[in-house]
């Protein structure tokens, strides 16, 4: 099911989602958990950094 969703999102955004290596996809999907294990007591910062990394990897930018 995830592959179908990724394919549709890739078509909508023109981002080659399906070309990401599975290890890269896993890292991006679990980015907050990985960072939270390293950074203690900063959940908002961890979420912000994880979202920024995901945006950067996808080629999108934040309008803020």
């Amino acid at each position: 099911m995830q592959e179908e969703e990724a394919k549709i999102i890739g078509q909508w955004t023109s981002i080659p989602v399906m070309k990401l290596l599975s290890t890269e996809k896993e890292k991006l999907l679990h980015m907050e958990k990985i960072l939270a294990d390293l950074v203690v007591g900063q959940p908002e910062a961890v979420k912000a950094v994880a979202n920024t990394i995901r945006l950067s990897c996808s080629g999108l930018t934040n309008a803020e």
Side-chain angles (χ1 to χ4, degrees), residues 51-52 55-56 58-64:
N51 287 337
T52 301
L55 284 171
S56 177
S58 70
L60 300 174
T61 58
N62 192 348
E64 290 182 39

Side-chain angles (χ1 to χ4, degrees), residues 21-64:
L21 298 173
S22 62
T23 56
E24 289 176 298
K25 284 195 285 189
E26 290 300 316
K27 285 180 186 176
L28 290 174
L29 288 172
H30 303 294
M31 180 70 60
E32 287 178 51
K33 171 79 171 106
I34 294 167
L35 291 174
D37 290 343
L38 300 170
V39 180
V40 179
Q42 297 291 323
E44 295 88 13
V46 166
K47 186 174 183 175
V49 169
N51 287 337
T52 301
I53 291 170
R54 288 186 194 114
L55 284 171
S56 177
C57 289
S58 70
L60 300 174
T61 58
N62 192 348
E64 290 182 39

Side-chain angles (χ1 to χ4, degrees), residues 3-24:
E3 288 181 17
E4 291 174 20
E5 293 168 350
K7 188 175 182 180
I8 292 169
I9 292 169
Q11 290 171 345
W12 287 349
T13 61
S14 300
I15 299 169
V17 178
M18 296 301 292
K19 290 186 179 181
L20 283 176
L21 298 173
S22 62
T23 56
E24 289 176 298

